[in-house]
Amino acid sequence: MPKLPKVKVYFNSTLHHFSQLLAGLEYLSTKNEIELKYALDLGKYPIDIFKIEYNGLKLFFDMADNSRIYDKIYEESDFYVKRMLLKTDYNSRKRLIPYGLYYPVYFRNSYLKYLFLQNKDLAKYSIKYWAWASKFLKIKDSIAVNEISKLESEPSHYDKIVFRARLWNPDNNKENWKKKERKVLNAERIAINRIFTEQFENSFKGGILKDNYSEKICPDILLPEKHYHRKVYLEELRNASIGIANQGLEDSIGAKFGEYIANSMAIVTSPIDKFKLHGDFEENVHYLTYHSSEECLQLTKRLFENEPLRKGMQFANLEYYQNYLHPANKMMHIFNLISRS
């Protein structure tokens, strides 16, 4: 019987961006497909970096929203696995591996559940892995809400469209480019929500998250308080066939993109073609691309009215989820890419 791959995680960060990675590794471990160990390693690397040893190779997983690469960490690595990986970087650096699409998702994990015993400061993080406690405390980013099985579904036959979004206050940043970026991002999210609310009425499940900033900017399209909870949002995803996505901070692909695919939805998105993803993830097969709020409306109407096109895209994304996005299959695909390199 062949030896199992040996994987050791150096736990460095409580960022929810790592939940998918951790869920995938633990899932593979429970299926006896890898030999998994953990070590607490706080503060040695930036908060968006995890170090993982895979069969003696030193891997660094960079889950930042931006496309920057830590040059010193890259030089230290055998392979550098980057979430927002530009195709230009991928083609010019041999040790780069794409991480691909991300979404927050949990799987039971005894090590993380009891991590607070090693460091009391991690109690708030550990509680996310206690189903009853996180449910009682209404922690939306937890295993009670985001367990793998609750975040996946087969194609829905309902003609529903989803686009929830939040705004970012430009004044919370000192850099002018960040202020401008947030203004553009906010304007697009507001415009799409207003147009879709008018055009699709009851078929549209959208709105802007209510906070002090959005109350001043767009009080007419704020989400009702009863829809705030993530459970409501996940139910909407399971019962919708089309998801709208626009760029996240620093032009990243946001978590909702992965959530749409995990729920087998057709997708209309702002451009994502500059990033390297796993497999053959193709425009007009897995998603449609818009460049303005008006074009977003036109493409969504096309999907809404063309059932064969919409269903074909939904089933293409179901297959993509099963091959490349399910946490365990994502991690195994990454390890296979590394083994073949």
Side-chain angles (χ1 to χ4, degrees):
M1 185 175 180
K3 291 183 178 180
L4 296 179
K6 293 184 177 181
V7 179
K8 186 172 183 179
V9 177
Y10 291 84
F11 188 89
N12 178 66
S13 171
T14 59
L15 280 181
H16 65 266
H17 294 71
F18 290 106
S19 62
Q20 181 189 32
L21 177 156
L22 292 164
L25 292 177
E26 197 66 27
Y27 193 103
L28 290 172
S29 178
T30 61
K31 298 297 182 181
N32 203 35
E33 294 187 42
I34 61 172
E35 183 182 314
L36 181 61
K37 294 182 179 179
Y38 295 90
L40 193 58
D41 195 36
L42 296 174
K44 188 170 182 180
Y45 296 102
I47 197 171
D48 43 26
I49 292 285
F50 255 27
K51 174 185 171 184
I52 293 179
E53 288 181 1
Y54 172 72
N55 282 342
L57 295 172
K58 193 183 297 183
L59 318 180
F60 287 95
F61 283 74
D62 182 341
M63 297 297 290
D65 288 334
N66 55 55
S67 57
R68 170 225 57 229
I69 293 171
Y70 292 105
D71 289 329
K72 289 184 179 180
I73 296 176
Y74 176 82
E75 293 303 324
E76 185 183 343
S77 72
D78 289 304
F79 290 96
Y80 189 106
V81 186
K82 175 68 179 170
R83 176 181 156 226
M84 300 316 307
L85 177 57
L86 296 173
K87 290 178 180 176
T88 50
D89 286 333
Y90 177 73
N91 292 329
S92 63
R93 299 201 192 193
K94 294 182 178 180
R95 281 178 268 170
L96 287 175
I97 298 286
Y99 178 82
L101 300 170
Y102 141 84
Y103 66 110
V105 57
Y106 286 74
F107 188 72
R108 62 182 182 272
N109 190 311
S110 297
Y111 178 83
L112 300 177
K113 189 175 182 179
Y114 294 99
L115 196 56
F116 69 94
L117 296 177
Q118 297 185 57
N119 187 321
K120 293 180 180 179
D121 292 337
L122 296 174
K124 287 185 178 180
Y125 177 80
S126 286
I127 207 168
K128 293 181 178 185
Y129 286 88
W130 291 80
W132 64 269
S134 55
K135 182 178 181 180
F136 176 76
L137 294 171
K138 298 181 180 179
I139 302 173
K140 65 179 182 179
D141 181 28
S142 70
I143 197 168
V145 178
N146 292 335
E147 198 274 333
I148 288 179
S149 63
K150 297 177 181 178
L151 283 162
E152 60 184 17
S153 63
E154 295 192 350
S156 169
H157 65 276
Y158 294 108
D159 298 333
K160 301 293 183 183
I161 305 161
V162 173
F163 182 49
R164 283 185 171 205
R166 64 165 298 176
L167 304 184
W168 298 95
N169 190 337
D171 295 331
N172 290 342
N173 298 275
K174 295 180 180 179
E175 298 94 335
N176 285 330
W177 73 267
K178 286 189 176 183
K179 291 179 184 290
K180 292 178 181 178
E181 175 200 58
R182 283 152 177 74
K183 287 178 181 178
V184 171
L185 185 153
N186 289 344
E188 187 172 278
R189 293 179 177 186
I190 291 169
I192 291 174
N193 265 280
R194 282 181 172 152
I195 293 171
F196 278 51
T197 298
E198 178 183 343
Q199 293 288 323
F200 292 103
E201 298 180 350
N202 295 332
S203 295
F204 180 55
K205 300 294 182 181
I208 300 295
L209 181 67
K210 181 180 178 182
D211 58 23
N212 291 336
Y213 180 70
S214 61
E215 280 188 297
K216 297 175 183 177
I217 303 299
C218 56
D220 55 312
I221 51 172
L222 299 181
L223 277 167
E225 288 192 20
K226 65 179 181 179
H227 291 166
Y228 278 6
H229 201 283
R230 185 164 171 80
K231 280 186 176 181
V232 176
Y233 170 64
L234 294 180
E235 184 66 24
E236 289 177 349
L237 293 186
R238 286 189 287 270
N239 291 294
S241 57
I242 301 172
I244 310 301
N246 81 324
Q247 68 274 17
L249 292 178
E250 303 193 46
D251 205 26
S252 62
I253 303 174
K256 63 166 56 72
F257 201 107
E259 291 166 344
Y260 293 161
I261 292 176
N263 284 278
S264 307
M265 298 167 68
I267 300 172
V268 181
T269 180
S270 53
I272 62 168
D273 57 308
K274 67 181 181 179
F275 295 111
K276 178 66 177 177
L277 302 176
H278 292 152
D280 295 321
F281 194 67
E282 301 178 40
E283 186 174 4
N284 299 317
V285 176
H286 299 93
Y287 64 92
L288 301 177
T289 301
Y290 71 85
H291 299 85
S292 68
S293 55
E294 291 78 14
E295 187 179 14
C296 182
L297 174 63
Q298 293 169 5
L299 292 174
T300 304
K301 283 185 174 180
R302 180 181 164 199
L303 281 176
F304 194 78
E305 296 166 358
N306 188 331
E307 184 175 359
L309 175 64
R310 185 178 70 250
K311 287 295 183 185
M313 192 172 289
Q314 288 181 265
F315 280 98
N317 283 334
L318 171 62
E319 182 178 5
Y320 189 85
Y321 168 75
Q322 293 170 339
N323 291 333
Y324 300 108
L325 190 59
H326 181 286
N329 296 339
K330 168 185 277 292
M331 294 309 300
M332 188 55 73
H333 178 70
I334 290 172
F335 291 149
N336 288 339
L337 287 176
I338 289 168
S339 298
R340 294 198 296 266
S341 296

